[in-house]
Amino acid sequence: MIVKEFLSIYQNDGIVQSISDKITTSKPGEPLHLKGLCGSLDTVLMSALLKEKEPFLIICEEKEEAQYIYNDLQALIGDTAVILFPMSHKKPYEWEEVDNANVLLRAEVLNILSNYSGQSLAIVSYPAAMTEKVINRKSLVKNTLSIRVGDKIDRNFVAETLNEYDFERTDFVYEAGQYSVRGGILDVFSYAAEYPYRLDFFGDEVESIRTFHPETQLSIQSVSAMHLIPDVQTKLLQETRESFFTFLPENTKIWTKDLSILSDVLTENFEKGTMVYEVNSSSDINLLNKPEERWETAKTIKKSLQGFVCVEFGKRSHLKNSETIVFPSKNPGAFQKDFERLATTLLDNQTHGFHNIISSESPRQLERLEVIFNEINTSIQFKPLQISLREGFVDEQTKVAFYPDHQLFERYHRYKEKNKFSKNKALTLKELRSLQVGDFVTHIDYGIGRFAGLNLVETANGEQEVIRLIYRDDDVLSVSIHSLHKISKYSGKEGAPPSMSKLGSPDWDNKKSRVKKQVKDIAKELISLYAKRKNAPGFAFSPDTYLQAELESSFLYEDTPDQAKATIDVKADMEKPHPMDRLVCGDVGFGKTEIAIRAAFKAVADSKQVAVLVPTTVLAMQHYRTFHDRLAAFPCKVEYVNRFKSTKQINETLARVASGETDILIGTHRLVNKDVL
């Protein structure tokens, strides 16, 4: 099942269609109350009801709820149709701690609303963000530089404007507030865009505008226009501020949940903001943070709501003349990894005509669930949906029973925040910027030389930025920045300077040939070794059973891509008829132990015993607890031996191992003694 098919269930429902008509035809002061929405049914309805030219503003109680609803809407309607409007500070009323990522998000929202052209749009926010005033629309428009493909504009004028906006000129653009000029190309990272822009000039005409990835510097897609604004948090500090509601189109539909609680939060915000201002009124930063300039009272927000069509989706209605529509939905309940009970519930749903839908972001997780239900009862039917929503629901109106996998397995589901690019993510560019003149570098084609900085050179197509390298006898090599991937910082013996290469000499090619020969010799030895291992007899483990699928599905966290791949590769090795030879390598906390648990359980499920060898006594105890806790719900006995156990206890444990009662034994080098193996 795809998301579009899932939403169509609601879009084609009679009651949902009547709600859509009411929202469209209602006037301000004619609110609607949708009662009885459980779990993520609220965001499903929002997604089904969202139309072009009728944007939604969803006001949640606090930041965490807003983040969860934002993630739900992202999964249902896509990243381009939903945006988050956060507060500009890390914590409410601590104005010195500005969150730069949030400042960029706020500017991005204002930019989108200023240039709104009727596309489907949902804005998610919360009181601490909504009550924080923003730059007025007139000042924003006045300080916005809009450039379109085909415009004739002087590059020097653009550069001067960017300097006035306090943009920093750099060699490469990788974070907001930077720009660079290289011949006929101008790169700039606006404060109100997710990706930087690349303008290609032909003379004074803008020939093309493309977004590009700040890490790779490669183009993403062509766009027809871009809009540049300065840092609205600092550059336009003295401008008059106004309510965020003034930026909303007139036909915006506002969704609120439990308005009485929202009002209490708004009032508390204003009172706390006033108190903090009075305590810190001597600070210069409070020029922007005066309560009467920066914060809206609950009364003012309520008045602003009266100018729009409002939809309440909490338990109670708090707006006058509200029309209530009840949705007969309920929570699906907790199954606590009891698949037999879940299977019975799904069969009962089928009998009563419900659509069973199980969602997960991981296709592997959905495959595991299919294996489990096929083992229990082949009559069970459910539709897999590859998204992740915060909570499940059973909707008796549309006959939909929706179950997110993290609730079935009691896995903690955390919201995902939007990532912004920063210096530490632009690895290649950061390394180039960290090079000092005189540092040794290696060019894959020309050998070892010294870095001599960046220079502009004249080419047939105008100025071009190049990397200047110095070789033996002061020979100079200019390398285009587009060949940056061929250059790396030299790494060799500590304290011993390398021998610089000579341009035009065969020395570097000879060195590469010798190294290639040595690599081939090593590869030949490895091929011979692996051929012998391939011919050695081994035990081919059986394919996964439903118990293996159940174990992997019950993992508390979602598998990382590398973790999932390592699990598949290890199990594939185990199913081959020759000894496994694989190293799983990763940093602390990356999930290596979970892979070992899955491999050990696969062996146990095939009537084999497993020995887990660890380097320290403490680690033996830690691994025992981890293995024991993960396998507690399965028919698998785990024990351990270390020096903290008495001789009697160790002998009793080894006796159970010898009799086959113990399935997994964990220990240090004691495991390699003759009385164990």
Side-chain angles (χ1 to χ4, degrees), residues 254-304:
I254 298 181
W255 293 66
T256 63
K257 186 175 181 179
D258 292 323
L259 193 58
S260 62
I261 298 176
L262 191 64
S263 297
D264 293 340
V265 173
L266 290 168
T267 303
E268 181 184 347
N269 284 356
F270 181 76
E271 291 174 351
K272 190 172 182 180
T274 303
M275 180 178 65
V276 171
Y277 169 74
E278 289 174 351
V279 171
N280 300 298
S281 58
S282 61
S283 173
D284 291 339
I285 198 167
N286 282 290
L287 288 171
L288 183 61
N289 298 320
K290 294 179 181 180
E292 63 271 20
E293 292 183 359
R294 188 169 178 81
W295 300 100
E296 300 269 7
T297 63
K299 185 177 180 181
T300 306
I301 291 292
K302 281 185 178 180
K303 186 177 180 181
S304 298

Side-chain angles (χ1 to χ4, degrees), residues 548 551 554-555 574 591-604 609-614 618-640 662-667 671:
Q548 184 77 26
L551 170 71
S554 63
F555 185 42
M574 293 177 69
K592 302 184 297 296
T593 304
E594 174 63 21
I595 295 171
I597 291 171
R598 295 175 184 182
F601 185 73
K602 183 175 179 68
V604 171
Q609 289 178 292
V610 178
V612 181
L613 184 65
V614 297
V618 173
L619 201 57
M621 172 62 78
Q622 290 176 344
H623 273 58
Y624 164 73
R625 289 174 178 169
T626 303
F627 273 70
H628 180 270
D629 292 345
R630 280 289 283 126
L631 300 173
F634 299 90
C636 180
K637 187 173 181 61
V638 183
E639 292 200 71
Y640 74 100
T662 298
D663 298 301
I664 299 176
L665 181 64
I666 302 171
L671 294 186

Side-chain angles (χ1 to χ4, degrees), residues 630-659:
R630 280 289 283 126
L631 300 173
F634 299 90
C636 180
K637 187 173 181 61
V638 183
E639 292 200 71
Y640 74 100
V641 292
N642 64 12
R643 62 187 178 86
F644 293 142
K645 279 193 170 185
S646 66
T647 303
K648 180 182 178 182
Q649 289 174 319
I650 291 176
N651 290 335
E652 289 174 351
T653 299
L654 296 181
R656 288 190 290 273
V657 172
S659 66

Side-chain angles (χ1 to χ4, degrees), residues 185-201:
I185 294 176
L186 185 146
D187 291 348
V188 59
F189 205 151
S190 172
Y191 283 100
E194 183 175 2
Y195 290 102
Y197 294 102
R198 177 162 292 157
L199 283 72
D200 196 347
F201 285 85

Side-chain angles (χ1 to χ4, degrees), residues 268-390:
E268 181 184 347
N269 284 356
F270 181 76
E271 291 174 351
K272 190 172 182 180
T274 303
M275 180 178 65
V276 171
Y277 169 74
E278 289 174 351
V279 171
N280 300 298
S281 58
S282 61
S283 173
D284 291 339
I285 198 167
N286 282 290
L287 288 171
L288 183 61
N289 298 320
K290 294 179 181 180
E292 63 271 20
E293 292 183 359
R294 188 169 178 81
W295 300 100
E296 300 269 7
T297 63
K299 185 177 180 181
T300 306
I301 291 292
K302 281 185 178 180
K303 186 177 180 181
S304 298
L305 292 179
Q306 293 173 4
F308 299 91
V309 174
C310 291
V311 182
E312 292 185 272
F313 58 102
K315 293 181 179 179
R316 298 178 181 176
S317 174
H318 301 279
L319 294 174
K320 295 180 179 179
N321 305 318
S322 181
E323 180 181 351
T324 300
I325 297 177
V326 179
F327 268 81
S329 65
K330 61 182 180 180
N331 291 317
F335 293 94
Q336 300 177 331
K337 305 175 190 177
D338 186 343
F339 291 99
E340 295 287 348
R341 187 155 62 88
L342 175 58
T344 302
T345 301
L346 295 179
L347 285 171
D348 186 56
N349 289 344
Q350 288 175 212
T351 304
H352 291 86
F354 278 78
H355 302 280
N356 288 322
I357 299 174
I358 299 180
S359 75
S360 174
E361 282 185 315
S362 168
R364 178 64 179 157
Q365 189 80 324
L366 295 171
E367 290 172 8
R368 291 169 184 154
L369 286 167
E370 287 183 359
V371 171
I372 292 170
F373 291 130
N374 284 337
E375 288 284 343
I376 295 174
N377 191 326
T378 55
S379 299
I380 296 174
Q381 297 177 358
F382 74 90
K383 293 184 178 181
L385 183 62
Q386 198 178 327
I387 61 172
S388 181
L389 301 185
R390 70 189 193 281

